[in-house]
Amino acid sequence: MKSLSMMVAATALLAALPTGDFAGIGSSAAGAQEQQQKPKQKTRKVPAMSLDVHKRIQKAQEAMDEKNFPEAKIRLAELLESTRINDYERAVAWQLNAMIAYEQEDTPGTIRAYEEILSYAESIPEALELQIIFGLSQLYYSTEKYDLSLEYVKRWESRTEIVGVNQLIFIAQLYYTLNDYRNALSYAYKAISDAEAVDTVEVKESWYQIALSSHWELGEFANVRDILEILIINWPKPVYWTQLAGVYGELKEEQKSYSITEAAYKQGFLDDRPVQVVNMAQILMARQAPIKAAWVLERGFKEELIEDNVDNKKLLGQAYLVSAEYAKSVGPLTEAANGEEDGDLWMQVGQVNMQLDRLDDAEAAFANAEKQFREDDKKTKAKKNRSRIFNALMQRSGALIELKKYSEAERVLNMANRMADSSRERGSVRGWRDYLRAEKAREDMLAGR
C-alpha cells in the first residue's frame, strides 16, 4: 500500500502545470472500465497563474528533474512565503512539495502537502480535489490510520462521477482491514463484475482473495468453496488445493476432502508442506489404507519432506502394524518409544517383538514399559498405573519363560503377585506359575535332569 499511496502522489499533479503530463487517478484507472455514474461535477473558475510564478515553478521543476530536491524545496518555500501569489498558485507549489515527498518516500510529508492543497479546494479543479481526497485515503491506509482512510474515501465516493475497479478493490481492502467483511464483499464483487463486463480489464487473483478471506471470516464455507474452485481453475496454486480440502472438511463432506487432498499429493502440491504430507498419511489411515499411508511416510522420510521426529515415526510404525507388516513396524515403533516417555508404546513394541519371536527385544521392551509406568505412578497415584504395571510384569514374565529364564521369570511373577488386587489377577499369576513349572519340568526331562 505504501507504493500505491506514493503513486497517487505522483499521478495527481495539477493539470495546469506547464510541464506536467501525468494523468489523474479517476481517468487513468477507469478509462476502459464500466463506470458507476454520479451527478456531474460543477465547473469551477480557477485563478490564472502569473508569468512570474510560472517561471519560478518551472525552476523548481527543473531542480526536481535533476533530483536536486534541496534546491527545489528552497525555491518552493520562497514562493510560498510570497504574499502576492493566489490560492491556485499556492496549491501548485504544494503539489510539487507532494512530488518531492513521494520521491523521498516521505509519507507524512506527502500527507501534509495534500492536506495543504485541500485548504485551497475552491481554487483548484474539482476533479483534482477528488483525486487528492482519494489519494489521502490511500496514504492514511498506508500509515495504518484506517478510520481516517475510510473517512476520506467516503467523502470521495459521495462526490465522484466515476468509480473504477482499482478504486473498488482499494475500498474492499480497506473494509476488510476494518473487519467490515460485508462491505468488503460488496466492493470486491462489484469490481469483479465491472471487470468481467469489458474485454480490456483483467480480473486479478487478489480480488478473489479478498472475497475468499471475507467469506472465511464470516464462516460462509460454501462461498469459500465456490471461490476456491474458481481460483484453482484460473490460478492452480498448491495452497488452494489444500484450502479446498479443508473447506470440504468444514462442510462435513469428508469424502471430497480426502479426494482433493489425495489429488494434491499426487500432483506434488504437498511436497513443501510437511504437515500436509503427514495429514495425507493420516487420511489414508482413516480410509482403511494403512499400507498407502506407510508408503507416503516412507517417501516423506526418504526425500526429507517431513520431519524425522517421534510422532511421525510412531505413525509410520502404526501404519505398518495395522497392515500386518510386523517386521517393518517394529523399527519405527522402537525409535518412537526411545524418544517418548510412553509406557503404552513400549508395550506395543514388546507385543510386536513377541509376534516376531524376538524374545530378548520383547522382554527388554516390557521392562521399559514397567519402568515408565512406575514413573507415571510416582506422579499420579492413579489406579490405571497399578494395572499397567501388573500387565507389563505379566507380559515380561511370559517372554522370560519363553527364553527359558525361569528364575528371572519367577522373580517377576512374584512382583506381579504383589501388585495383584483381585482374584482374577491372582488367578492369572497362578496360571503363569503353573505354566512356568510345566515348562521347567519339560526342559529338565529333555535334558535328563
Side-chain angles (χ1 to χ4, degrees):
M1 291 311 303
K2 182 176 181 181
S3 61
L4 179 60
S5 303
M6 290 304 184
M7 177 197 71
V8 172
T11 58
L13 188 64
L14 293 176
L17 288 178
T19 61
D21 58 356
F22 300 89
I25 291 177
S27 59
S28 63
Q33 302 160 6
E34 178 183 346
Q35 306 299 340
Q36 180 177 325
Q37 299 298 323
K38 293 288 179 74
K40 204 165 187 177
Q41 297 168 3
K42 62 184 179 180
T43 302
R44 284 180 181 164
K45 186 175 180 180
V46 178
M49 180 182 289
S50 70
L51 182 60
D52 177 60
V53 172
H54 181 247
K55 289 179 179 179
R56 296 170 75 176
I57 287 290
Q58 277 190 316
K59 290 292 185 183
Q61 281 191 287
E62 288 170 5
M64 289 171 61
D65 292 340
E66 296 170 0
K67 305 296 182 183
N68 189 349
F69 299 127
E71 181 184 342
K73 285 183 178 180
I74 290 171
R75 289 186 178 278
L76 292 171
E78 290 173 349
L79 178 60
L80 288 168
E81 287 172 2
S82 174
T83 58
R84 294 186 295 175
I85 64 173
N86 61 42
D87 287 351
Y88 172 66
E89 292 164 337
R90 290 185 183 280
V92 171
W94 277 111
Q95 183 60 56
L96 291 180
N97 275 319
M99 289 288 292
I100 294 171
Y102 154 71
E103 289 288 346
Q104 297 182 324
E105 298 188 358
D106 177 8
T107 302
T110 308
I111 290 173
R112 177 172 174 266
Y114 270 30
E115 296 280 15
E116 287 287 349
I117 294 169
L118 288 185
S119 68
Y120 308 113
E122 293 302 316
S123 297
I124 63 174
E126 187 174 8
L128 183 57
E129 178 194 357
L130 292 175
Q131 293 171 28
I132 297 296
I133 292 171
F134 189 83
L136 277 167
S137 176
Q138 292 180 298
L139 288 162
Y140 277 123
Y141 183 97
S142 74
T143 58
E144 300 182 3
K145 295 181 179 179
Y146 305 122
D147 290 334
L148 273 173
S149 177
L150 182 61
E151 178 184 322
Y152 273 98
V153 89
K154 285 182 174 180
R155 183 173 159 188
W156 170 81
E157 193 177 12
S158 68
R159 293 173 54 194
T160 191
E161 293 181 15
I162 51 178
V163 181
V165 293
N166 289 338
Q167 288 94 342
L168 289 168
I169 286 299
F170 169 73
I171 299 170
Q173 181 65 54
L174 173 57
Y175 275 118
Y176 179 83
T177 305
L178 290 166
N179 301 325
D180 186 346
Y181 306 118
R182 286 292 171 214
N183 269 319
L185 285 167
S186 175
Y187 282 91
Y189 281 129
K190 172 63 174 166
I192 292 168
S193 174
D194 286 359
E196 288 176 341
V198 292
D199 295 330
T200 54
V201 181
E202 179 185 359
V203 176
K204 303 292 178 60
E205 178 185 4
S206 59
W207 302 357
Y208 279 107
Q209 288 172 339
I210 294 173
L212 177 73
S213 299
S214 298
H215 281 306
W216 184 271
E217 294 290 347
L218 292 168
E220 297 171 347
F221 300 117
N223 291 320
V224 172
R225 173 202 59 204
D226 295 343
I227 293 176
L228 281 170
E229 288 175 351
I230 293 171
L231 287 166
I232 283 175
I233 291 170
N234 294 282
W235 300 276
K237 293 181 179 178
V239 66
Y240 297 141
W241 286 83
T242 55
Q243 287 176 344
L244 184 58
V247 169
Y248 274 121
E250 292 288 344
L251 292 170
K252 309 302 181 186
E253 297 183 52
E254 299 297 340
Q255 188 59 45
K256 289 184 179 179
S257 177
Y258 295 157
S259 298
I260 291 292
T261 302
E262 191 166 5
Y265 174 76
K266 288 179 177 178
Q267 294 177 80
F269 290 163
L270 307 184
D271 287 357
D272 61 344
R273 290 172 169 76
V275 173
Q276 293 295 339
V277 173
V278 174
N279 184 50
M280 180 71 241
Q282 291 170 331
I283 286 172
L284 289 167
M285 288 284 285
R287 295 182 73 183
Q288 309 302 313
I291 194 62
K292 287 186 178 181
W295 296 340
V296 168
L297 292 166
E298 286 285 15
R299 173 177 173 259
F301 287 124
K302 183 179 179 181
E303 299 182 17
E304 298 183 350
L305 304 178
I306 61 176
E307 291 183 37
D308 188 355
N309 59 30
V310 169
D311 289 337
N312 292 341
K313 285 292 186 181
K314 183 177 178 179
L315 182 60
L316 175 61
Q318 289 172 339
Y320 276 130
L321 185 61
V322 176
S323 304
E325 294 278 359
Y326 302 121
K328 291 182 178 179
S329 73
V330 71
L333 284 175
T334 303
E335 287 184 56
N338 274 317
E340 192 172 89
E341 296 178 353
D342 187 343
D344 291 323
L345 188 55
W346 275 118
M347 288 291 287
Q348 196 172 49
V349 170
Q351 289 160 358
V352 173
N353 277 308
M354 288 293 287
Q355 183 74 27
L356 295 169
D357 203 30
R358 298 175 181 176
L359 300 175
D360 285 314
D361 291 338
E363 190 273 329
F366 292 133
N368 285 331
E370 175 202 345
K371 179 180 177 182
Q372 186 57 54
F373 290 145
R374 290 187 185 278
E375 289 295 321
D376 294 343
D377 193 49
K378 290 178 183 178
K379 299 172 186 175
T380 58
K381 294 290 184 180
K383 187 176 181 180
K384 67 177 182 180
N385 292 330
R386 188 213 57 79
S387 178
R388 286 172 171 174
I389 294 169
F390 176 83
N391 288 333
L393 289 168
M394 292 299 290
Q395 295 271 11
R396 185 182 175 194
S397 67
L400 287 166
I401 292 170
E402 294 301 317
L403 286 165
K404 303 183 181 356
K405 296 181 178 181
Y406 302 120
S407 297
E408 182 68 11
E410 184 70 41
R411 184 183 68 81
V412 172
L413 281 172
N414 289 336
M415 292 169 60
N417 194 51
R418 288 194 294 272
M419 296 295 299
D421 68 349
S422 69
S423 58
R424 182 184 62 80
E425 289 180 346
R426 284 188 287 273
S428 294
V429 173
R430 282 195 300 272
W432 276 106
R433 276 178 172 162
D434 290 343
Y435 176 66
L436 184 156
R437 289 164 186 160
E439 284 295 298
K440 187 172 184 304
R442 186 175 68 85
E443 185 72 17
D444 288 344
M445 182 184 69
L446 292 173
R449 290 194 290 270

